[in-house]
């Protein structure tokens, strides 16, 4: 089956088209509720799995069970909207997607289960939903999972609402930025 999706305003919000093509190591998306940042991240993750080889993308939140009602449902929603369900193996219990044509995966993990993090390997990119919930050491530990060879660029996408002046994210990504 051929899937044809144009990378334009029919697929992405207008502001997100350039970000789809952005290979930056960190893609930091801050915005209010319903601004489209999480929807964009779900779209980008799906398209990268479909169009590139060798992916195992990990979706991260502080609490694993909160992924089901947010990121997992966003990804699942686009699979259904794009009418490509037959191309994906979807495990609702493990919140895992596998793209059948090339075996790329999207997996989900909560930082609340530290044992799962220790054995996590082969990760090619990360999507942090609400990383403001994480501690800096959680973030560092997850970033260590992006190691080894990958035929594509490695990227961490962070999607969150505006943050406190005291947040580690402000210090890490906004302070002293030229």
């Amino acid at each position: 089956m051929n899937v044809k999706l144009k990378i334009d305003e029919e697929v992405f919000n207008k502001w997100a088209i350039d970000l789809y093509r952005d290979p930056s190591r960190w893609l930091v998306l801050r915005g209010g509720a319903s601004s489209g940042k999480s929807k964009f991240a779900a779209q980008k993750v799906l398209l990268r799995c479909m169009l590139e080889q060798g992916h195992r993308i990990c979706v991260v939140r502080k609490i694993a069970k909160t992924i089901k009602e947010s990121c997992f449902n966003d990804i699942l929603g686009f699979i259904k909207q794009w009418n490509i369900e037959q191309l994906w193996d979807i495990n609702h219990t493990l919140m895992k997607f596998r793209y059948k044509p090339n075996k790329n995966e999207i997996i989900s993990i909560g930082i609340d289960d530290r044992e799962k993090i220790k054995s996590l390997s082969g990760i090619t990119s990360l999507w942090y939903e609400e990383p403001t919930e994480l501690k800096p050491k959680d973030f560092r530990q997850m970033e260590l999972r992006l190691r080894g060879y990958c035929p594509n660029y490695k990227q961490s996408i962070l999607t969150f609402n505006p943050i406190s002046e005291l947040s580690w994210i402000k210090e890490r990504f906004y302070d002293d930025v030229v």
Side-chain angles (χ1 to χ4, degrees), residues 7-21 35 40 43:
I7 308 303
D8 64 15
E9 292 176 37
E10 291 179 26
V11 177
F12 291 114
N13 285 325
K14 186 177 181 176
W15 61 263
I17 292 172
D18 289 337
L19 293 179
Y20 168 71
R21 295 177 181 92
S35 63
F40 163 75
Q43 290 171 321

Side-chain angles (χ1 to χ4, degrees), residues 78-106:
F78 284 113
I79 289 173
K80 289 179 178 180
Q81 180 183 332
W82 296 344
N83 196 27
I84 54 172
E85 291 170 272
Q86 70 279 10
L87 297 175
W88 291 87
D89 285 325
I90 303 167
N91 185 319
H92 291 261
T93 304
L94 297 176
M95 296 180 290
K96 181 177 177 178
F97 301 88
R98 187 176 66 73
Y99 187 57
K100 294 176 188 178
N102 62 15
K103 310 293 189 260
N104 283 343
E105 292 182 318
I106 303 168

Side-chain angles (χ1 to χ4, degrees), residues 93-165:
T93 304
L94 297 176
M95 296 180 290
K96 181 177 177 178
F97 301 88
R98 187 176 66 73
Y99 187 57
K100 294 176 188 178
N102 62 15
K103 310 293 189 260
N104 283 343
E105 292 182 318
I106 303 168
I107 64 171
S108 303
I109 191 163
I111 301 294
D112 54 330
D113 190 345
R114 290 211 168 271
E115 294 307 308
K116 285 185 182 178
I117 295 169
K118 291 177 185 176
S119 62
L120 198 57
S121 64
I123 301 303
T124 59
S125 285
L126 294 157
W127 169 18
Y128 298 94
E129 177 74 345
E130 302 300 346
T132 52
E133 299 171 344
L134 305 178
K135 294 183 168 103
K137 67 180 181 178
D138 297 330
F139 181 77
R140 284 191 301 273
Q141 195 57 232
M142 287 307 301
E143 289 294 306
L144 289 173
R145 305 298 144 219
L146 287 178
R147 60 182 180 252
Y149 172 76
C150 176
N152 309 291
Y153 63 93
K154 294 181 180 182
Q155 185 172 68
S156 291
I157 302 172
L158 292 81
T159 54
F160 57 94
N161 294 320
I163 54 175
S164 160
E165 287 287 318

